Amino acid sequence: MCGIVGYIGKRKAYPILIKGLHRLEYRGYDSAGVALINEQGQLNVYKAKGKVSELEAFCSTKDIDGTIGIAHTRWATHGEPNTANAHPHYSESERLAIIHNGIIENYAVLKAGLMEQGYTFKSDTDTEVLVQLVEYTQINRHVDLKTAVQLALQQVVGAYAIAILDKTHPDTLIAARKGSPLVVGIGEEEYFLASDATPIVEYTDQVIYIEDEEVVVIHPVTGNPSPVTVTTINNVTKTPEIKRLELSLSQLEKGGYPHFMLKEIFEQPRTLTDSMRGRVNVRQDNIALSGFIDNKDRFLNAKRIIITACGTSWHAGLIAMYAIEEFAQIPVEVEYSSEFRYRKPVINKDDVVIAISQSGETADTLAAIQLAKSKGAFIFSICNVVGASIPRVSDSGCYTHVGPEIGVASTKAFTAQVTALTMLALCIGREKGTIDKEKFVSIVRELGQIPSKIERVLGEDKRISDFAKIFSYAQNFIYLGRGYNFPVALEGALKLKEISYIHAEGYPAAEMKHGPIALISQEMPVVVVAPRCGTYEKVVSNIQEIKARKGRVIAVVTEGDELVRKIADYCIEVPATEECLTPLLTVIPLQLLAYHIAVVKGCDVDQPRNLAKSVTVE
């Protein structure tokens, strides 16, 4: 949720921290703050409500000197978004400052105990409780700061990624994590700390991924042979593994587009090509997924597959359910991670659990697969971020390789997830012999054509932009689809809700008569996903029912469809393809429609209110 960045080295810390906050702002933008230790040993904390630009304006007249600092951009959990609740937070003596991503679940008990000891609090956050606890522990246990952090974290229930400064030790930066991501960047006589790699890539490609319940001390003084040390909260020494980042600075820029979301929509022909590279071999009519090949027996012997995910990833999982059941003939259940982890699910050792998460840090999904793993299930993950928590705890998996997705509303991650899951379904079906060879070859060849067909759909952008203006007045939308395109209707509705704040609901088209048809009127636009495949004729009947009640219809149809064109108000054409691949094409117009309606309404497309990119808390 929140964004953490830290620096210690020989350069001025403030410019690096502010640039890092801008790169991390997609993780939270309710408030922002920075803490710096200057050459006189003063620990200065500056905070502002709102976006990082508000913090910059506030700091323009402040002392921003110092070569060590931490900074934070917040997505509010405990306490409303305001300056008092913004991070960093001082300890009672103002000797320590902390930033924190996560939730301390037992903060109220800890806070009550500290208040009994005379501690006072200036915010409503759980984070301030933690920094007070660290200082209290250090004073009363007569230990150094690292030990105080370890002992304090042993008392904590919840998730955290923290960074702490101590003005009496201006050459040391301490951090720790559990359940929230944290990465250390290794430069030349300088070190970086961040929630993810985006603020670091400009300075180094060497990183250490901090594991759960690990504490890292960065102390790069002259002659220190170990400037970065890692221990557990129980003081077990760990040997940090330095890994190389596969990320470029150009991927973090808008590239001339007005918004990251639009850039990422238009990147999809390339990102799907990247996602299939080395996996889909059209010349040999073959698909090779190493994560499947190395664990073939687990899939072939699976009695059931459980897919767990949240939000857009859950919609990708629904599409996978259709594909796996059709091609592999294995029963599939698709679960919201937040419900799955709490409802005492029946999990067997011959189950395969597929976890889907763009960031690989989604807290509910991570907890869900940890539960499933404890029951003996085989865990396979679909993730985008290399080195993230979910792929690290999974038994196997598949990276989507679409590059960083900065826009909060997911677009290219969704199509890559659907592609990866379709490839997996085809691999299982081929090995089981449950998919006809001719059908398999046809789909493989069509997968190779999908990027160029998406290019053709993107050519409709101007026309979609034009008629999107007509529908910006709407307060409600209905999205309808059937079969493989029912999840696309759900995804289209979610995109509209996320970035334009228009209420929208997705339904299976046949369910319209079981309630939603009562809402149909001239003021209720209806988006119908109606490619010419599957239950096409029945969807056409649904469109006619809508028009009979004076509803306004936007239809996504296969190229050359004259039947729907005659009855719908607006049609967006997509090229013909295999039915299982239609979601990769039909979702593109819905992404563009949501984007352009949001722009017309003047909404902040990349940073919609109340949302953050990576949901690392419950």
Side-chain angles (χ1 to χ4, degrees):
M1 285 293 193
C2 306
I4 285 175
V5 60
Y7 175 80
I8 182 170
K10 296 183 177 180
R11 302 193 224 187
K12 295 295 183 184
Y14 177 80
I16 295 170
L17 297 175
I18 287 294
K19 184 178 287 187
L21 287 186
H22 278 297
R23 295 245 172 90
L24 289 172
E25 198 165 17
Y26 69 96
R27 297 180 67 97
Y29 32 88
D30 292 337
S31 59
V34 61
L36 301 155
I37 301 177
N38 65 17
E39 292 182 1
Q40 291 73 44
Q42 293 176 315
L43 175 57
N44 295 313
V45 171
Y46 308 121
K47 306 190 286 188
K49 179 183 176 181
K51 297 189 177 183
V52 176
S53 57
E54 300 293 330
L55 175 65
E56 283 187 279
F58 181 75
C59 290
S60 62
T61 59
K62 304 296 182 183
D63 174 10
I64 54 173
D65 191 28
T67 57
I68 178 174
I70 55 178
H72 187 270
T73 181
R74 181 175 186 245
W75 187 87
T77 52
H78 288 82
E80 67 179 79
N82 58 32
T83 302
N85 290 329
H87 300 207
H89 291 284
Y90 277 125
S91 63
E92 182 87 357
S93 68
E94 298 192 356
R95 178 174 60 85
L96 307 179
I98 192 172
I99 53 178
H100 167 225
N101 179 18
I103 291 180
I104 308 303
E105 295 176 9
N106 61 334
Y107 83 100
V109 174
L110 297 172
K111 184 174 183 178
L114 289 165
M115 291 177 71
E116 288 179 2
Q117 299 299 319
Y119 281 74
T120 58
F121 293 83
K122 299 176 181 177
S123 76
D124 300 318
T125 68
D126 52 340
T127 303
E128 189 183 7
V129 175
L130 185 52
V131 73
Q132 302 280 42
L133 180 62
V134 170
E135 182 170 87
Y136 173 79
T137 303
Q138 186 176 15
I139 293 170
N140 286 272
R141 298 287 291 272
H142 306 289
V143 294
D144 61 23
L145 182 59
K146 185 195 84 167
T147 304
V149 170
Q150 292 170 322
L151 293 172
L153 292 178
Q154 290 174 22
Q155 301 178 57
V156 163
V157 177
Y160 55 80
I162 61 170
I164 297 180
L165 292 182
D166 181 347
K167 71 178 182 181
T168 65
H169 292 87
D171 53 7
T172 303
L173 177 60
I174 294 181
R177 69 150 283 185
K178 179 184 177 182
S180 291
L182 204 59
V183 59
V184 176
I186 312 296
E188 293 186 10
E189 297 185 342
E190 61 182 357
Y191 299 85
F192 308 85
L193 187 72
S195 299
D196 61 46
T198 53
I200 291 174
V201 65
E202 184 173 348
Y203 309 103
T204 181
D205 63 356
Q206 303 295 304
V207 298
I208 299 169
Y209 294 103
I210 306 304
E211 302 287 348
D212 272 358
E213 295 192 338
E214 287 185 346
V215 178
V216 57
V217 178
I218 307 174
H219 182 59
V221 297
T222 303
N224 185 357
S226 303
V228 179
T229 60
V230 180
T231 59
T232 68
I233 62 173
N234 295 312
N235 206 35
V236 176
T237 300
K238 305 296 287 288
T239 301
E241 181 182 357
I242 299 176
K243 296 188 177 182
R244 187 174 181 274
L245 278 179
E246 296 180 3
L247 183 67
S248 67
L249 189 59
S250 63
Q251 291 176 303
L252 306 177
E253 307 297 337
K254 291 180 183 176
Y257 288 91
H259 298 96
F260 279 109
M261 183 180 178
L262 188 62
K263 176 195 176 192
E264 288 156 6
I265 291 172
F266 272 81
E267 283 180 337
Q268 287 173 107
R270 177 184 61 78
T271 57
L272 289 194
T273 299
D274 291 343
S275 191
M276 290 187 283
R277 183 174 288 114
R279 295 166 170 170
V280 176
N281 190 325
V282 176
R283 290 184 179 180
Q284 297 181 9
D285 298 324
N286 190 36
I287 294 176
L289 287 179
S290 59
F292 168 76
I293 294 169
D294 296 340
N295 302 278
K296 189 185 304 182
D297 290 344
R298 293 305 300 258
F299 286 96
L300 299 184
N301 296 323
K303 299 290 192 298
R304 174 179 63 161
I305 290 176
I306 301 170
I307 298 176
T308 184
C310 301
T312 285
S313 297
W314 186 79
H315 298 155
L318 286 178
I319 295 171
M321 177 182 69
Y322 286 90
I324 293 171
E325 291 192 340
E326 178 180 355
F327 303 137
Q329 296 292 292
I330 300 172
V332 179
E333 298 173 12
V334 185
E335 302 273 0
Y336 283 113
S337 298
S338 54
E339 290 297 310
F340 180 72
R341 62 180 291 199
Y342 285 117
R343 67 170 180 81
K344 296 181 175 60
V346 177
I347 303 169
N348 301 308
K349 291 184 178 180
D350 54 7
D351 288 336
V352 170
V353 175
I354 300 176
I356 314 171
S357 169
Q358 188 281 139
S359 68
E361 302 291 349
T362 310
D364 285 321
T365 305
L366 182 59
I369 63 173
Q370 288 169 333
L371 170 63
K373 196 169 187 178
S374 72
K375 303 288 187 180
F378 178 78
I379 310 300
F380 188 91
S381 60
I382 305 289
C383 288
N384 184 35
V385 180
V386 176
S389 297
I390 288 174
R392 289 211 304 269
V393 303
S394 299
D395 296 304
S396 184
C398 174
Y399 285 115
T400 52
H401 296 303
V402 301
E405 188 177 62
I406 305 300
V408 167
S410 183
T411 52
K412 65 179 181 178
F414 173 77
T415 50
Q417 289 167 353
V418 171
T419 301
L421 290 159
T422 302
M423 291 190 292
L424 178 62
L426 292 168
C427 286
I428 302 170
R430 179 191 57 196
E431 290 296 324
K432 288 190 68 180
T434 49
I435 181 173
D436 179 77
K437 182 178 179 181
E438 185 178 340
K439 183 72 169 176
F440 178 86
V441 169
S442 177
I443 296 172
V444 170
R445 292 177 179 177
E446 266 301 301
L447 270 171
Q449 296 299 314
I450 289 295
S452 62
K453 290 186 175 183
I454 290 177
E455 289 275 15
R456 285 159 59 184
V457 181
L458 291 170
E460 294 286 292
D461 178 57
K462 177 63 168 62
R463 199 168 70 84
I464 295 172
S465 173
D466 289 340
F467 74 70
K469 298 180 178 68
I470 300 170
F471 293 99
S472 61
Y473 72 88
Q475 296 182 327
N476 300 281
F477 264 76
I478 291 178
Y479 285 69
L480 301 175
R482 292 198 73 169
Y484 281 95
N485 286 286
F486 161 52
V488 174
L490 295 176
E491 175 62 10
L494 177 61
K495 287 285 114 18
L496 191 69
K497 283 184 280 195
E498 284 180 312
I499 62 172
S500 74
Y501 319 138
I502 294 173
H503 173 253
E505 296 296 334
Y507 289 95
E511 288 297 304
M512 183 183 63
K513 292 188 289 292
H514 296 277
I517 198 168
L519 300 173
I520 301 300
S521 70
Q522 290 180 330
E523 286 71 43
M524 172 72 83
V526 181
V527 178
V528 184
V529 187
R532 190 182 287 277
C533 56
T535 54
Y536 169 76
E537 289 80 8
K538 296 184 183 298
V539 175
V540 172
S541 295
N542 296 138
I543 296 173
Q544 290 170 329
E545 291 164 352
I546 296 165
K547 292 306 297 178
R549 289 155 180 83
K550 303 188 184 303
R552 304 183 72 184
V553 174
I554 303 168
V556 179
V557 299
T558 304
E559 287 177 342
D561 187 324
E562 294 299 329
L563 178 58
V564 175
R565 182 175 294 279
K566 290 177 182 177
I567 54 178
D569 295 274
Y570 298 90
C571 280
I572 309 165
E573 293 189 338
V574 300
T577 189
E578 290 281 346
E579 183 177 7
C580 65
L581 302 182
T582 55
L584 297 171
L585 303 180
T586 57
V587 76
I588 306 299
L590 306 191
Q591 294 172 350
L592 290 169
L593 179 65
Y595 170 80
H596 287 297
I597 289 176
V599 169
V600 170
K601 292 189 66 179
C603 300
D604 191 337
V605 172
D606 286 335
Q607 297 174 357
R609 69 189 184 205
N610 303 332
L611 296 179
K613 183 66 179 173
S614 179
V615 184
T616 57
V617 296
E618 291 188 52

